[in-house]
Structure formats: structure tokens, C-alpha cells
Amino acid sequence: MPKDYSFEKRKYIVGGIAVAIITLYIVRLFTLQLTSDNYRQRADSNAFRKEIIFPSRGLIMDRHDSLLVYNEPSYNIMVVMQDQHGIDTLDFCNTIGITKEEYIQRMADIKDPQKHPNYSRNTPQLFMSQIAPEEFSKFREKLFRFNGFSVEKRNVRHYTSGIGAHILGDVGEVNQADIDSDKYYKSGDYIGKLGVERSYEKVLRGEKGMHIVLRDVHGRSQGSYMNGKYDIAPQPGRNLTLSIDKGLQELAEKLLQGKCGAIVAIEPSTGEVLCMASAPTYDPRELMGKERSKKIMEMTQDPMGPMLNRAIMGLYPPGSTFKPTQGLIGLQEGIISPSTVFPCSRGFNYKGLHLGCHGHASPIALVPALGTSCNAYFCWNLMRMFGNKAKYGSTQAAMTRWKDHLVSMGFGYRLGIDLPGEKRGMIPNAQFYDKAYKNLWNALTVISISIGQGEVTATPLQMANECATIANRGYYYIPHVVHSVQGEQIDTLYRNKHHTMVDPKWYNYIVAGMRQAVLGGTCKGANIPGVEVCGKTGTAQNRGVDHSAFIGFAPMNEPKIAVAVYVENGGFGAHFGVPLGSLIIQKYLFGQLNPGAQALADKFQHTSISYPHKKVNIPSKK
Amino acid sequence: MRERNKINPLFLTDGWVLLLYAVLLAFGWISVCGASHNIGDTEFFSWGSRTGKQLVWIGCSIGLGGILLMIEDRYFEMLADVFYWLMMIVLLVTPFIAHDIKGSRSWISLGPVSLQPAEFAKCATSLAIAKLINQYGFTLNKRKNFLRAAFIVLLPFCLIVMQKETGSALVYMAFFLMFYREGMPGSILFCAVAAVAYFVVGIGFSLDPLPGTTGDVGEYCVLTMIWLFVTGMTRIYIPKQPEHAQRLLISGLAVNVVAYLFSWLIIPFDIAWVLLAYDIVMIAYLGWMWLGHRMKEFLLISVFALGSTAFLYLSDYALNHVMKDYQRTRICVLLGIEEDRDAAYNVNQSKIAIGSGGLQGKGFMNGTQTKLDYVPEQDTDFIFCTVGEEEGFIGSAGVLLLFLALILRLLVLAEKQTTVFGRVFGYCVLCILLFHVFINIGMVTGLAPVIGIPLPFFSYGGSSLWGFTLLLFIFLRIDAGRKRR
């Protein structure tokens, strides 16, 4: 048979088609497999369900290892919307004790993009948090009937007592800002909201673990991946030991009951805060469970401000408790010497300005001036300093120097305590007055700053720190409430001395003055037999009744505690400040109060101050 | 010659094809292991598992191949018609005796095994068509002959469509490539390619706006293509009068550029209207030339242009008004216009599986997409996903190259045949193989529509494997017979 050659060339076309098809497909494979990692990630997210294992949160203890905060398991009901179908809604609602309307509302909330911007149909979403144990056990029995629902075990914080709410803070669900700022958090996670729970969040939280589960196309688990080779074990959070003394804290909170104010005690040799009470306060146990957000809303609207930690957020005129700093500045700057005397004729009188004082001998030197809390002495001191053009060149320069001294003593800026929300207080500088008075000001214009009034404000913490600095004769450690993290020392930040600009030798005169105040001056009530207590009262003027303040430390040599007490509208420093401070010192030094002191403490516990100007603003009810 | 005649045909069998066959079978079996077992399974050889069964099918295939090599080659030609008509009868009765599996009635149960007659009908059709073309003086250029050949191909096509196995039926289109080699006018093949191109471009880009105008890319491109094709055809088929092609080229270019610039710089409008008008002028011009010159070519080109234009607008109409929703959806998903949940999901998971393989793949038995059932039909139609996921680019491109090598080797062998019967049969085998690979790989990589046809030698199942073994070894036996003569 003859071979037909006429169409033989067409074999190249056919071969060419085959080569073209295969080439096209190889190029296609190249683009699918080698040009991007996208498909790999999508395959992984298909197949691997990463189950988070939550670490237990670190415990919180007081300085004597007495437990303050611990964990208890709680159960959250989660739902995968994609798998959730064909369930008996009525049975479901009855089991966990909600109404059908609530059920519908919760389902709608989960899908609401405004409430859950990261909502996904095929990952577990929080349906209901912290269900009660009895409801949980009922629910778990019926779980197999509720497609798409699961239970997630979480730990919730429990408190051994009702104290220290402002220091301990609390834990709540993360908000969108938390999620945006730290990738660690996912919707529904918990984060420290206030107090050390917030400032030591990274220490307390630990690290989440992960269990990789293979998931087939129907969402069914196909066991762990590679026998858990790539699983990550959770790292439990580390425990915090606070520097707070539980007993002292308890006493401080008791003493402030029915009043507004704060008590801060610091161990001068370390900067550790021994107690930090702010009143009014609240019981942290009340914030547990489902009622949390409602309760917080109530407290936020309370005009008394129970959420406010006055010890670090309250800005008060320090009043006479400020005078020791003025003496120190005067001595250091050579404005006064220990023997310098100033006249006091029931106050400071100059060019028609009168600033009152109470009766005492005149003229008066520094030590007795502190003892009797002479206003005139410190006014003259500031006059001399600000008027010393020869030394400083101008009032402004003198003021700058004055401010620098106070800043070195811890005023005017945040001290940097390991709690969130600290306020910086106010130490005015020359620019401030230049602006306020259009450069037309002098020492007389601002004279009240010398006695801790006027524009000067400070937090009770700063006052306690001032006291600790005096007790240490010229240095302080940044106050802190955490003693150690699971046996490890805290950050060196809290272990470095901060020296003031004043020579330690000048401190002895201030200490002597504060000792004299206790022995025969304004704070006789602070005298404790057998202990050399040093103190300084403060009676800070304000719009209403004067604020009652006190700073003091003991013993005079090798001091163990420095305390600041501030009671809003408490009247004279001796009314509340001195006895409260004294009780704190006694309690700390002796570990307990003698019966007399105990009776006094009980009396103060039941003494209330009324605050008519803080109007109770009742939220309108529908 | 007497000596050669006595040599056992086994020793004359083409070694390359045997080697490629063996390698593809081995690779195929490994892929079935990957696709049908869960991570950690090791029972590849147990009878109860799909891999164990597949191993049996492979063994049967090899036995079948051996038997085929023993048969005298002239019997194939002799019995071709009997075989063909027997298969047609089987195909005809299949839908009545078959069980309904996923809407298709194409499987016949014979004891423990189910067979799909459509897979064997390919071989019978190939033999019948080879025998027909082998007749003395038979040329496909004659209309009567072409119709006879087309009948042989279209009869099983229609019977299989009746079983609701459109995918298997489409495979019979592969014979037209063989027809082309045997003398079918190239213009028919070209028209088919042009139709597919019009459809894909015209519908696929119908929603993309053409920059600078108010029209869409699809319509513009198709009208431009029609003009280019017509110009090219005029140049090729009327070589003695190149001025016609020149006129069309210059006028078309001028119209296109001027219309575009006017729309872009002065007033935006849909320039497809201008191109359509030009198209009609072009058709009229060619018709006028035909009347003047009485050359059939002018008329044919004119008809091509008219048909192309009609096809463009009719396909759009058919898609939107004639086709059923699911058909329209499938096409739209393929062309990337629409998202259909199921079809798009399957193709998407298939692409994820292949794409996640990377260069080297995840390793044997480590593919998560296929193991965890994300890919549908993972050990049959979508088996290539396993190759892509577990063996990566190296493995999957390697498989494609193996197929290419086999197809090209078959092409070389077919051309060496001394009989038309042998050559036509060889072309049938390679065209069917090529079509299967073309559709199957195109489907799993998202380039072709989801048409359920198996990947030769890879997909799980005996019918497909035996069907291809039959095709391949009959051809090898014919080839061995050629060498003995």
C-alpha cells in the first residue's frame, strides 16, 4: 500500500499542539506552586486548627507571702457559627438559663461587625462567658446535642480578701485597642485592666500554648498533628510578691472608711510601698462574674470616685508637709543657715501682704519653725531666694533653681511607680508664671508656693516619697508595689538610688525640726513611746474645709517606715493626718496595735466626713 | 524475513513506550496511595483498601497487555467492525441495566467489579475508524467519506451522552485531531479553535471596561480578532491577489486606531459599534469580490467572517437566555466572571492543594489537602492534586513531561507505520491520551471547565486503566507486526 505523504507535514502541527499544551500546563504549575506562598498558607489554615491552651495566670501575694489573688476555673460557651445548625434552641436556652430573646440577641451580637470586627464563621466565637458551675455540668451532658457549641475552660481571678482593689486591679476581656497594639491577644482573651494586673500583665499572663489538630473538610478533628511535635506547651504566668503588707493595708483602708483620701507608706531603705490605701474604695470580689461591666459602670458614675486611686491620681496641695523641702532648698542654696532667724508677727507681712500664722515665739530659727510650722519663716526664705539677684541674676533663674530642687526630690513629674495611671502633680516653673502674669510677677506674687499652696500640687505618693527621702537623708528609690517576681529581683529601675540636689548634712536640721514637731510642735499626737517618730502636719487650704495631711517616719535613725496621710476636708492636720499616720507607724513597727491604739483605730473607722459638694449624680432610670 | 517472522513480538515491542507505561503506572499507584489513605496508614497492600485493589487492576492490565502482544495483529483489523458494533450495543443497553451513580448510568456490575463500557468504546471506535480510513482510495476530503468517518465517531458520542457522561463523550472530539492529520481541511480545525477563542475572550472579558471607551474588552478583542483572521485568510487563500489583504489590513487598522483615538481623546463611546460596522463592510466587500471574481475563497472567507460575528453575539445570547442556570454558572466560574460556591470551591481547593506543594512537595503521605478530603474525587478525577501537593513542582511537572514523552513517542511510532490502519490507530491513541491530559490537568489547575474525565494511568479504577492498556498494547502489537514484516 502506498504511503500517503500529502499530509505528513501535519504531524508537526499535532506534535506542536501536544508540546504547547504541556508547556502551558507547566507554566501554570509554576505560577501555582512557585510564585507565591499563598496556597501553602491556605492549605495550612484549612487543615490545622490551632487550639489555644491558656496558661494559668500568676498568683499575687503580699510581702509575707500571704495569698491575695488566685485562679478558679470558669467556663465559657463558644460557638462555631458555620457548624451551628439544627439545635433545639428551647432546650439550649433552658439548659444554660437564658431566654430565647437573649439567645437571638447574643447570636446577632456575635455576627455584628461593629462588635466583632474579626468575626469568622468557622472559628469558635464567645457565646457566653463565665457560666456557673451547675449550669456548666448540665450543659456538658447535653453538649453532643448542640452542634457547633463547645466549652472553653478559662481561669477567673479570685481574691482572698476585699482589700487592695486599687493596687491589685482586675482582669477583663481585651478591647479592640489591646488587640491592635499586641498581636498576642485575640478577641475574647483576658488582659489586666487596672493595678498590677495591668502593669505586670506580661509577667502574670504567661505565654499561650498551642495544640495543633488536624481538621478534615467537615470540620471533624482527625487527631493531633505529627503526634504533637509542633504543639507548644503553655508557659504559666509568674507569681508576683507585692511589697504590700496585708495587715497594714487592711488597717489603712479601715482608717479611711467614710472619708476621701489616701494613705501611702514606704519602706525608705528600699522604696517598697508597704501600704497604699485610697478611699473610697471597693471590694474587688464584687467585680467577679457576669456583673463586672455593670458594676464598673456604676462606679465610674459615682461622684465619690471609688475607681480613682487617690494615692497616685489625687492631686492635692501638700500644704505644710511641703515645708521641709523649702528648708532644704534654703540651706543648700545658702539662703539661710540653721541659725538664721526670721520674724513672725502672727504671720508674714510685707508691703501690705499678710499671710497668717499662729502664735509662737518670734523671731524663729529653722528647727523650731518646722516644729511649729511657721508660715512666715518659709515665706521669708522664698523671698530671700527669689529676690537674690546677685546669686541668680533674675527671679526666673531663682525659680528654675527652686523647681530643679523639687524635681530632684520627686515632685512635678511622675515618680514611675509600677502602677498604671499615676499623675505627675504640679511644680510651677518660671515660664508658667511668665505666661500667667505676663512677666509681672515676683516672689511676693507666688509666695504661697513656699507653704505648699497656690499652684503646687502633689500626689500622696509624692508626699510619702518626700518623707522617705528625708528619712534617708537625701535619696529615694522609685516607689514600687512589687517586691519580686517569682523569687526574682525586680527591675534595676527600682533598685537605683535617686539623690536629691541637697547635701545630706542639711537633712539633719530638717529631721530635727520634724522630731521637734512630734515632741512639742504641731504633731504631738504622733508621739509613740519608745519610738523616735518624726513628722510634719499639713493643713491645706482649699475651697471647702481644709484638707488634713501628715507626713512622718520612724524611727528617726534607721527609719523603717515613711508614711503620708491625706484626708480630704479633714480639717487640721492634727485632726486626721497625725493620728492616722501614727496608727500606721505603730501597726507596722509593732505588728499590732495596743488596746488604746486599737480603740482609736476603731473610732476613726467609724468617723465619716460628709462631702456635700460631691453631688450624688443618680443616673436616670428608664 | 522468515527469521524475523518467528521472533516473539514481545522482543519487538517498543521499549520506550513500555518503559513510560511502567513508570506512569508506578507513579499512578503511589499517587493513589497518597490520595486514598489517611496519614499514618501503612496497609497499602491489603485487598480491602483501594490501593490494594488498584494493585490488582494494575496486575490485570499487565496481563492484558501481555495477552494482546500474543494476538496476531491482523485479527485486530479483521474484527474491528464486530468489536465496534458489539460495543455500540453494550453502550445502548448500558443506561437500562446500569445503576444510577451520581446521576449517571454508565457502570455495569459484573460480580465484584464494575466496568464502564465507555472506556472500552474508545478502543473499539479507534479500531473501526482506522479500518475505515484504511480502505483503498479513501480520503477524508470527500464529503461522503468524511461523513462516514464522522458517523463512526459521533455514534458512541451520542450513546455516551445518553448515559449522562458528557465528560467521557467529549473525549470523542479527540478524533478530529486525528482526522486533521488524515486530511480533514485545516480550516475546520481552525474554525473550532477560533470558536473557543471567541467564546473565552468574548465572554470572559465581557465585564472588563476597555480604557478610554465606554465599551468592554471582550467584544473589542473578538471583533479585532475577526478582522485579523479574515485578513490573514485572504492573504493565505488568495495568494495571487495580495492587494485585497493589504486593503483589509490598512483600512481595518485605520478604522481601529481612529475610532480608539477619537473615543480616548474627544468623546468616549463604545467603539465596538464602529468595528462591527467595519466588520459588515468587510463581509460585503468580500461578497462583492466573489460576485466579481467568482472565486469560491472570497465567499468562504466572507461566510467565516459572518459566522464569527454571529457566533460572538449568539454565544452571548445563548449564555444569558438559553442555557440553564447551572450550565451558565459553570461557564462563568471557569471564565472568572462569577463565583459558584460548589464548583468554585472544588477548583479552589484543588488549586490550593497543588499550589501548596511548592517546589518539592510536602512529601509522600503528607498532603493535608487530599488527606483531609478538602479536594473532591481525590483519587479519581482530581488525583493530580495529590501529585502536586505531595511531590511538588518537580513531581507534577515531571508527570506532565512523562505524558508528553509518551505522546511524542507514539507520534513518532505512528508516523513510522507502513499501513494506514496502523498510523490512524496510533494517532487515535495519542489524541485520546492528549485530550485526557489536556482536560484533566486543565480542570485541576483551574484552566479548563470541571469535566469529569480520569487522568490516564493515575486515576483509581480498573475501567480507565484497562481501556488505555487496550489502546496502548494493541498499537504496540501493530507496531511490532510492522517490524516483523
Side-chain angles (χ1 to χ4, degrees):
Chain A
M1 180 172 279
K3 212 172 174 187
D4 185 356
Y5 291 102
S6 53
F7 298 112
E8 208 195 321
K9 273 191 297 182
R10 288 188 172 180
K11 72 181 179 191
Y12 296 112
I13 307 271
V14 176
I17 290 172
V19 171
I21 289 170
I22 300 295
T23 310
L24 170 73
Y25 286 171
I26 289 180
V27 170
R28 176 63 172 174
L29 288 175
F30 183 87
T31 57
L32 282 179
Q33 298 183 308
L34 301 181
T35 51
S36 99
D37 203 25
N38 186 19
Y39 290 108
R40 176 94 205 202
Q41 287 162 6
R42 286 168 70 184
D44 287 352
S45 70
N46 264 344
F48 304 131
R49 174 150 53 200
K50 291 170 181 166
E51 292 183 347
I52 305 289
I53 311 171
F54 291 98
S56 61
R57 204 173 166 86
L59 308 177
I60 303 178
M61 269 89 61
D62 92 331
R63 67 188 289 118
H64 305 300
D65 282 331
S66 167
L67 193 61
L68 296 172
V69 185
Y70 61 103
N71 303 310
E72 283 286 337
S74 106
Y75 300 91
N76 292 345
I77 297 181
M78 312 296 288
V79 59
V80 178
M81 296 301 258
Q82 182 175 256
D83 305 337
Q84 175 265 323
H85 41 69
I87 71 160
D88 182 347
T89 317
L90 195 67
D91 185 20
F92 180 87
C93 293
N94 288 339
T95 308
I96 61 169
I98 58 171
T99 64
K100 181 143 189 187
E101 287 68 40
E102 276 180 275
Y103 175 88
I104 293 164
Q105 182 59 44
R106 280 169 188 275
M107 281 298 184
D109 284 353
I110 290 173
K111 284 189 239 174
D112 187 343
Q114 284 185 324
K115 289 180 184 162
H116 291 100
N118 300 328
Y119 167 69
S120 156
R121 276 170 55 79
N122 41 29
T123 57
Q125 304 286 317
L126 180 67
F127 177 79
M128 199 171 155
S129 64
Q130 300 189 12
I131 58 164
E134 57 272 24
E135 281 160 356
F136 165 69
S137 54
K138 269 198 288 176
F139 181 73
R140 192 164 57 176
E141 273 172 34
K142 294 185 179 175
L143 190 58
F144 71 97
R145 275 193 242 165
F146 305 139
N147 290 332
F149 283 91
S150 58
V151 174
E152 184 184 72
K153 189 183 150 192
R154 283 295 187 84
N155 286 320
V156 284
R157 296 302 244 180
H158 277 240
Y159 302 86
T160 55
S161 66
I163 61 159
H166 292 121
I167 305 166
L168 299 173
D170 69 342
V171 174
E173 224 174 280
V174 287
N175 56 34
Q176 198 54 40
D178 298 324
I179 296 172
D180 292 343
S181 62
D182 188 343
K183 280 186 176 170
Y184 178 86
Y185 300 103
K186 299 277 175 287
S187 182
D189 282 0
Y190 290 112
I191 190 171
K193 291 281 183 191
L194 296 165
V196 289
E197 295 276 21
R198 165 129 165 231
S199 53
Y200 286 85
E201 163 68 14
K202 286 200 173 150
V203 171
L204 288 167
R205 77 181 183 195
E207 289 293 327
K208 284 187 245 184
M210 196 174 58
H211 178 47
I212 305 175
V213 178
L214 285 173
R215 176 181 61 160
D216 73 7
V217 68
H218 309 294
R220 289 179 302 223
S221 167
Q222 297 288 320
S224 75
Y225 177 60
M226 302 283 271
N227 292 325
K229 193 172 156 192
Y230 295 103
D231 287 5
I232 300 167
Q235 286 177 16
R238 287 183 287 162
N239 299 341
L240 283 189
T241 303
L242 300 186
S243 59
I244 301 295
D245 182 310
K246 193 176 170 185
L248 198 65
Q249 178 72 22
E250 211 166 355
L251 176 67
E253 288 187 16
K254 219 186 215 177
L255 293 175
L256 284 175
Q257 266 180 30
K259 309 155 197 78
C260 284
I263 297 176
V264 180
I266 293 175
E267 183 177 64
S269 59
T270 57
E272 289 180 356
V273 176
L274 300 170
C275 74
M276 177 186 277
S278 170
T281 183
Y282 59 93
D283 188 334
R285 290 172 294 194
E286 286 175 8
L287 291 189
M288 283 160 27
K290 291 184 236 174
E291 301 292 298
R292 179 178 188 274
S293 49
K294 197 179 137 203
K295 197 82 194 166
I296 285 191
M297 185 60 88
E298 270 177 32
M299 291 203 290
T300 318
Q301 287 171 346
D302 188 336
M304 301 295 279
M307 295 284 281
L308 190 73
N309 183 358
R310 287 171 162 78
I312 57 171
M313 297 171 179
L315 296 179
Y316 299 109
S320 300
T321 62
F322 201 53
K323 284 173 182 164
T325 64
Q326 301 304 299
L328 288 166
I329 295 169
L331 290 168
Q332 179 66 27
E333 292 297 307
I335 304 301
I336 53 171
S337 77
S339 56
T340 306
V341 292
F342 288 120
C344 174
S345 48
R346 290 209 159 253
F348 170 72
N349 294 296
Y350 189 81
K351 288 189 180 169
L353 184 94
H354 173 76
L355 204 152
C357 192
H358 39 87
H360 54 74
S362 173
I364 193 164
L366 175 62
V367 171
L370 279 170
T372 57
S373 196
C374 173
N375 285 341
Y377 186 92
F378 294 98
C379 291
W380 284 116
N381 177 32
L382 193 80
M383 277 281 290
R384 285 279 185 84
M385 181 171 174
F386 281 20
N388 195 337
K389 295 244 165 47
K391 185 170 161 89
Y392 302 107
S394 68
T395 313
Q396 276 85 352
M399 174 113 207
T400 303
R401 183 78 183 154
W402 176 82
K403 181 215 66 176
D404 289 347
H405 269 291
L406 287 162
V407 169
S408 82
M409 293 172 188
F411 287 97
Y413 289 89
R414 288 185 193 93
L415 279 165
I417 189 171
D418 48 354
L419 285 175
E422 188 192 357
K423 293 279 190 329
R424 60 183 281 191
M426 168 82 175
I427 296 298
N429 60 17
Q431 285 85 348
F432 176 86
Y433 286 121
D434 283 347
K435 211 170 162 189
Y437 295 107
K438 305 219 163 57
N439 296 330
L440 293 172
W441 63 279
N442 56 31
L444 271 185
T445 327
V446 302
I447 199 74
S448 54
I449 62 176
S450 67
I451 54 168
Q453 295 280 168
E455 285 74 22
V456 171
T457 60
T459 63
L461 180 73
Q462 283 171 327
M463 298 175 210
N465 187 59
E466 174 204 345
C467 186
T469 311
I470 297 166
N472 284 338
R473 275 70 165 173
Y475 66 88
Y476 70 90
Y477 295 95
I478 295 175
H480 48 279
V481 296
V482 171
H483 170 79
S484 58
V485 176
Q486 198 140 339
E488 277 176 44
Q489 269 191 313
I490 44 157
D491 203 295
T492 50
L493 190 68
Y494 301 112
R495 290 190 273 130
N496 288 336
K497 281 182 188 175
H498 291 256
H499 288 276
T500 66
M501 288 157 59
V502 177
D503 195 302
K505 70 181 179 197
W506 300 124
Y507 275 92
N508 293 326
Y509 298 98
I510 302 301
V511 171
M514 287 173 72
R515 179 67 187 141
Q516 194 172 324
V518 171
L519 289 177
T522 48
C523 36
K524 275 174 271 190
N527 195 17
I528 302 165
V531 184
E532 290 180 299
V533 181
C534 301
K536 182 75 202 77
T537 53
T539 305
Q541 289 172 4
N542 68 103
R543 270 169 295 174
V545 180
D546 292 348
H547 295 321
S548 172
F550 169 76
I551 61 171
F553 62 91
M556 182 166 76
N557 298 312
E558 292 181 24
K560 295 217 162 27
I561 180 170
V563 66
V565 179
Y566 208 97
V567 177
E568 290 180 29
N569 309 111
F572 285 116
H575 280 176
F576 285 96
V578 174
L580 261 50
S582 170
L583 286 167
I584 292 291
I585 291 171
Q586 284 180 58
K587 169 80 177 169
Y588 185 67
L589 292 183
F590 305 131
Q592 58 186 46
L593 296 176
N594 61 38
Q598 188 61 52
L600 188 66
D602 292 344
K603 193 196 112 194
F604 274 108
Q605 185 184 351
H606 299 110
T607 306
S608 294
I609 299 174
S610 69
Y611 295 94
H613 59 285
K614 296 192 178 178
K615 286 205 185 75
V616 179
N617 139 28
I618 298 159
S620 59
K621 278 178 189 163
K622 279 177 197 164
Chain B
M1 275 311 199
R2 266 183 74 90
E3 312 278 313
R4 269 203 95 139
N5 211 3
K6 287 204 171 151
I7 303 174
N8 186 325
L10 273 177
F11 299 108
L12 293 171
T13 309
D14 186 73
W16 284 110
V17 174
L18 278 184
L19 179 68
L20 288 164
Y21 175 73
V23 172
L24 284 168
L25 274 188
F27 218 140
W29 186 72
I30 289 172
S31 304
V32 173
C33 289
S36 57
H37 282 268
N38 288 327
I39 293 172
D41 268 7
T42 46
E43 296 194 349
F44 298 137
F45 300 100
S46 86
W47 167 244
S49 69
R50 279 166 90 88
T51 44
K53 281 184 185 160
Q54 183 71 359
L55 211 53
V56 174
W57 307 148
I58 289 171
C60 293
S61 294
I62 294 167
L64 177 68
I67 293 166
L68 287 170
L69 290 179
M70 298 299 169
I71 296 172
E72 270 303 307
D73 54 337
R74 61 198 162 90
Y75 288 126
F76 296 126
E77 196 178 348
M78 252 165 66
L79 296 173
D81 289 334
V82 180
F83 194 29
Y84 177 79
W85 289 110
L86 269 176
M87 275 317 299
M88 291 310 111
I89 293 166
V90 173
L91 284 180
L92 190 65
V93 298
T94 301
F96 302 103
I97 59 170
H99 298 289
D100 193 321
I101 299 172
K102 287 184 199 161
S104 94
R105 292 178 170 274
S106 61
W107 295 85
I108 298 177
S109 299
L110 292 172
V113 276
S114 287
L115 290 176
Q116 203 174 14
E119 292 294 332
F120 304 100
K122 279 182 272 195
C123 184
T125 309
S126 301
L127 285 170
I129 202 92
K131 186 174 178 182
L132 177 74
I133 296 174
N134 195 30
Q135 286 171 8
Y136 184 76
F138 186 97
T139 60
L140 277 171
N141 283 338
K142 288 185 192 155
R143 188 175 301 144
K144 196 183 148 207
N145 288 342
F146 182 71
L147 289 177
R148 283 174 68 191
F151 173 78
I152 289 183
V153 171
L154 292 177
L155 177 63
F157 174 86
C158 294
L159 290 173
I160 296 170
V161 167
M162 278 165 60
Q163 300 173 0
K164 296 188 182 149
E165 275 287 318
T166 325
S168 303
L170 277 176
V171 173
Y172 288 81
M173 294 300 111
F175 287 103
F176 286 88
L177 190 59
M178 180 274 294
F179 287 161
Y180 169 70
R181 164 63 184 87
E182 292 305 319
M184 180 183 79
S187 50
I188 295 179
L189 202 62
F190 181 79
C191 285
V193 172
V196 172
Y198 295 157
F199 190 78
V200 170
V201 174
I203 307 295
F205 295 98
S206 63
L207 296 179
D208 300 289
L210 183 67
T213 77
T214 59
D216 64 84
V217 175
E219 199 179 353
Y220 170 79
C221 285
V222 171
L223 287 167
T224 305
M225 267 156 69
I226 294 172
W227 159 61
L228 284 173
F229 289 159
V230 167
T231 308
M233 285 167 125
T234 312
R235 182 73 189 80
I236 291 164
Y237 291 108
I238 310 163
K240 288 181 184 156
Q241 297 178 29
E243 68 272 18
H244 298 296
Q246 267 173 31
R247 275 176 213 156
L248 288 176
L249 183 70
I250 291 165
S251 62
L253 198 63
V255 168
N256 204 328
V257 169
V258 168
Y260 197 98
L261 287 178
F262 183 83
S263 171
W264 187 33
L265 300 174
I266 303 167
I267 304 162
F269 70 108
D270 187 356
I271 65 169
W273 291 110
V274 174
L275 294 188
L276 180 64
Y278 174 79
D279 201 35
I280 293 162
V281 169
M282 194 165 66
I283 293 163
Y285 172 82
L286 289 166
W288 182 252
M289 285 300 126
W290 172 62
L291 289 174
H293 296 272
R294 288 285 156 189
M295 280 172 71
K296 205 174 69 181
E297 285 81 0
F298 281 116
L299 179 66
L300 291 176
I301 297 169
S302 177
V303 167
F304 171 81
L306 190 63
S308 297
T309 312
F311 182 83
L312 169 65
Y313 293 100
L314 285 178
S315 63
D316 190 58
Y317 179 82
L319 186 73
N320 290 315
H321 301 283
V322 179
M323 284 193 192
K324 291 193 178 109
D325 268 354
Y326 76 95
Q327 290 170 320
R328 202 180 64 82
T329 311
R330 277 198 172 183
I331 289 167
C332 290
V333 167
L334 179 76
L335 299 176
I337 305 172
E338 235 177 67
E339 287 266 322
D340 168 59
R341 286 208 47 173
D342 279 354
Y345 175 83
N346 289 348
V347 171
N348 201 22
Q349 291 298 344
S350 162
K351 277 157 70 181
I352 291 173
I354 293 171
S356 66
L359 180 65
Q360 295 180 324
K362 296 175 184 170
F364 179 58
M365 299 301 290
N366 284 333
T368 53
Q369 277 292 101
T370 44
K371 293 290 165 307
L372 300 169
D373 298 334
Y374 286 94
V375 176
E377 310 286 333
Q378 41 182 302
D379 61 357
T380 54
D381 293 349
F382 282 85
I383 184 101
F384 194 69
C385 293
T386 308
V387 183
E389 188 178 19
E390 299 195 345
E391 316 304 332
F393 180 70
I394 295 174
S396 46
V399 167
L400 288 183
L401 290 174
L402 285 174
F403 275 116
L404 181 63
L406 180 60
I407 289 164
L408 292 181
R409 181 65 194 162
L410 290 172
L411 184 72
V412 169
L413 289 182
E415 287 295 338
K416 277 188 188 168
Q417 296 306 308
T418 49
T419 62
V420 174
F421 179 78
R423 186 181 70 219
V424 170
F425 189 77
Y427 266 92
C428 287
V429 177
L430 79 91
C431 289
I432 292 168
L433 202 55
L434 178 62
F435 193 85
H436 268 265
V437 173
F438 174 58
I439 295 295
N440 185 281
I441 308 292
M443 166 179 81
V444 297
T445 54
L447 291 177
V450 180
I451 297 169
I453 65 171
L455 185 63
F457 313 119
F458 277 70
S459 293
Y460 170 82
S463 297
S464 158
L465 188 54
W466 295 340
F468 279 103
T469 303
L470 217 51
L471 281 168
L472 212 56
F473 279 83
I474 290 176
F475 179 62
L476 284 177
R477 181 63 192 86
I478 293 168
D479 182 58
R482 166 185 64 88
K483 289 181 194 161
R484 287 214 290 192
R485 268 187 286 275

